[in-house]
Amino acid sequence: MAHRNKSSSKRRAHKDAGTGKPASRAKAHQPFRLRVAAKALGPGLITGASDDDPSGIGTYSQAGAQLGYGIGWTMLLTFPLMAAIQEISARVGRVTGHGISGNVCRHYSPALLNVVVTLLFIANTINIAADLGAMADATKLLIGGHGIVYVVLFGGVSVAAQIFLDYKRYVAVLKWLTLSLFAYVAALAFAKVSWGEALAGVLIPKISWSADYFTTIVAILGTTISPYLFFWQASQEAEDQRVDARKQPLIEKHYGAQREFNRIRADTIIGMAFSNLIALSIIVTTAAMLNAAGESNIQSSAQAAEALRPIAGPLAEAIFALGIVGTGLLAVPVLAGAAAYAVGEARRWPVGLARKPKQAAAFYPVLALSAAIGIALNFTPINPISALYWSAVINGVLAVPVMVLLMFMAHRKDVMGRYVINGPLYWLGWLSTAAMLLSVLAMGVGFFL
C-alpha cells in the first residue's frame, strides 16, 4: 500500500495540478500574457528607446531633410550591428556582475580606464546639455515661456527621480516613457510618403562620396551605436542581478545561464528593433515633408518640429515636439546614470540606482554633477542645439576604442569564465566595430577630398 501511494504521488508530481497533464507539456501550452512579457523586458528595451534621444532625433531629422529617402538603408544596416554589440555588453554585465568600467578596472591598466571613463563622462555631459536644450526649445514651441527655466526644470526632475524614486518604480516609469516614441509613428500620418521610394531607400544603399555625406553616416552610427548605451545596459544587467536575491553572477552560479542569455537576446532584439523603427519613422517623415519641400537646412530636433508647421499643420508640429520632450525625459537619466556607473565602478565605489543615497554616497553626486554641468552649459555662449548633431559624431568616434576594448574583454576567459563570447555573435560584434571604424575613416578622408 505504501509503495502504491508513493508511486501515485510520484505520478501526480509529474502532472500539472490544474490540468492533470504532464507538467512540461502544461508549461509549454501556457497562454501568452502581455503583462508577463512586458515585465521580462528591461535593460534592452530602455536602452533601445533612450537611443532615440533629442540628439538622435536631430540627427535623423537632419539626415531625412538633407538626403531624403535614400539614407533609410542605414537603419537596416545598423539593426543587427547594434543588437550584437548591445547583447555582448549585457552578457558581460550579467556574467560578471559588473559593468564595463568595473571589469576594465579589474583587468586593464588604470591609465586606459581613466581615459575611457573621462571621455565617456565628457561626451555624456555634452549630450545631456544638448538634450536639455532641445527639450526646452520643444516646450517653448508648445506652450511658450523661457527656455532656460525648462532646462533647469527637466534637469532637476531627471536627477531627483533617479535619487529618490524606488528602483522598481523608477524602471517602470522609464518603460512607460518609451511609449512617447510612438509620437513619430503618429507623425507619419501627416506625411505624404512615397512608399516605393521609401522602401527602395531602405533596401538599396545610395552612396555619395562627400565629406557631408560621410559625416552624416558617422552621426547616424554614433547615435545608434553609442558608448553610453554599452555602459548603461551592462550596468543595468549587473544591477538587476544585485537587486534580485535569487540571482548571482553567472560566472559564480552556472544554473539557468541559457535561460538568462535567451532573455537578454529577446530583450535586446526587441529594444533595438523598436529603436530603429522609430528612427526610420523620423527619417521617412522628414524626407517626405521637409526634403520634398526643399527644407533641407535642419540643425536640430526642435527646428525640425517647427519646420513641420507650415507643411503639415500645428498638430504635426505638436506631436513631434511632445516626442522630443518624452524621449529627453527618458534619455537624460540614462546618460547621467551611465556616466555615474562608469566613474563609480572605476573607483570601486558602491554603485546602483537601487541603493539609497546614504549607501551610494559618491555614486549619486557624480550622477548629479554630470546633469548639473549639462544644465550649466545652457547658460554659456556654447549653443547646445548646434551640439546635438556633433555630439553624435563625437560618440561615433569615441565608440571605436570602447568597442575594441569590449570585444577583447568579452573573449577573455579570466573575465567571462566558461561564458566567453564565441561564434556568430562574436564575429557580428567585430563586424559592428569594423563598420564604425570604416565610417570614421571615410569621414576623415572625405574632409580632404
Side-chain angles (χ1 to χ4, degrees):
M1 178 73 72
H3 176 73
R4 199 164 24 198
N5 287 341
K6 192 179 287 185
S7 298
S8 62
S9 64
K10 218 179 214 182
R11 284 194 299 271
R12 282 196 302 271
H14 285 281
K15 293 188 176 184
D16 179 72
T19 64
K21 295 177 182 178
S24 59
R25 188 177 296 176
K27 189 173 181 181
H29 285 84
Q30 283 184 349
F32 173 80
R33 289 185 175 87
L34 183 60
R35 180 178 293 183
V36 174
K39 282 185 177 180
L41 299 175
L45 175 65
I46 294 170
T47 301
S50 67
D51 186 33
D52 293 319
D53 67 335
S55 173
I57 294 166
T59 301
Y60 301 136
S61 298
Q62 190 175 45
Q66 287 184 346
L67 303 174
Y69 299 119
I71 200 67
W73 64 271
T74 55
M75 293 299 101
L76 194 63
L77 169 70
T78 57
F79 170 60
L81 301 182
M82 71 186 295
I85 205 71
Q86 289 301 144
E87 182 179 341
I88 291 169
S89 301
R91 284 200 185 198
V92 167
R94 184 65 187 90
V95 168
T96 65
H98 303 291
I100 293 173
S101 187
N103 280 294
V104 172
C105 80
R106 286 166 173 81
H107 300 282
Y108 293 91
S109 73
L112 177 62
L113 175 67
N114 291 335
V115 169
V116 169
V117 170
T118 301
L119 290 176
L120 180 78
F121 185 89
I122 293 171
N124 283 17
T125 301
I126 293 172
N127 215 334
I128 289 170
D131 283 355
L132 289 173
M135 293 163 69
D137 278 359
T139 307
K140 281 172 62 180
L141 284 176
L142 292 170
I143 59 176
H146 295 286
I148 204 67
V149 174
Y150 299 134
V151 166
V152 175
L153 177 64
F154 289 136
V157 167
S158 297
V159 172
Q162 286 182 294
I163 295 175
F164 298 112
L165 274 186
D166 173 76
Y167 177 71
K168 288 185 179 179
R169 185 173 296 176
Y170 179 68
V171 169
V173 169
L174 292 182
K175 283 186 180 181
W176 279 107
L177 280 172
T178 63
L179 297 177
S180 65
L181 290 169
F182 282 107
Y184 299 108
V185 178
L188 277 173
F190 297 89
K192 294 180 179 178
V193 179
S194 172
W195 291 108
E197 288 183 47
L199 183 61
V202 171
L203 299 177
I204 305 170
K206 292 182 179 179
I207 309 296
S208 174
W209 297 96
S210 68
D212 287 345
Y213 183 86
F214 283 106
T215 300
T216 301
I217 297 296
V218 173
I220 289 173
L221 287 171
T223 200
T224 52
I225 304 173
S226 193
Y228 78 89
L229 301 175
F230 316 153
F231 282 83
W232 173 261
Q233 191 166 354
S235 294
Q236 282 300 286
E237 283 293 340
E239 179 89 345
D240 285 355
Q241 169 258 304
R242 284 195 297 269
V243 171
D244 193 336
R246 298 167 299 176
K247 292 183 178 180
Q248 294 177 20
L250 293 177
I251 200 169
E252 299 172 8
K253 181 184 176 183
H254 304 311
Y255 177 74
Q258 192 55 53
R259 183 173 64 250
E260 285 294 281
F261 292 152
N262 290 342
R263 174 192 61 78
I264 286 171
R265 175 161 293 178
D267 185 25
T268 302
I269 288 175
I270 290 171
M272 301 310 125
F274 182 48
S275 172
N276 278 32
L277 174 65
I278 300 303
L280 184 59
S281 297
I282 296 168
I283 289 173
V284 170
T285 297
T286 51
M289 289 197 279
L290 301 181
N291 180 266
E295 288 276 353
S296 60
N297 188 25
I298 301 299
Q299 297 300 322
S300 72
S301 52
Q303 190 180 343
E306 193 171 17
L308 295 179
R309 174 185 280 268
I311 301 168
L315 185 57
E317 177 193 41
I319 290 172
F320 213 86
L322 281 170
I324 293 167
V325 175
T327 58
L329 288 172
L330 174 65
V332 168
V334 172
L335 284 158
Y341 275 115
V343 173
E345 289 177 351
R347 298 292 175 262
R348 302 201 184 193
W349 296 333
V351 300
L353 296 171
R355 300 182 192 270
K356 301 295 182 185
K358 289 183 179 179
Q359 298 171 325
F363 170 77
Y364 286 110
V366 172
L367 186 153
L369 177 64
S370 180
I373 295 173
I375 293 171
L377 287 174
N378 284 274
F379 286 85
T380 68
I382 299 171
N383 185 352
I385 304 304
S386 63
L388 280 168
Y389 183 77
W390 287 104
S391 65
V393 176
I394 292 168
N395 274 320
V397 175
L398 174 61
V400 175
V402 174
M403 291 168 77
V404 170
L405 183 61
L406 177 63
M407 292 307 302
F408 280 127
M409 194 161 54
H411 201 58
R412 284 180 58 161
K413 197 158 188 176
D414 58 336
V415 177
M416 299 289 286
R418 66 169 71 178
Y419 300 115
V420 294
I421 305 295
N422 282 311
L425 179 62
Y426 177 71
W427 294 113
L428 196 54
W430 274 117
L431 181 61
S432 178
T433 306
M436 185 64 75
L437 175 61
L438 286 173
S439 68
V440 172
L441 292 175
M443 180 188 68
V445 170
F447 278 121
F448 297 100
L449 292 179

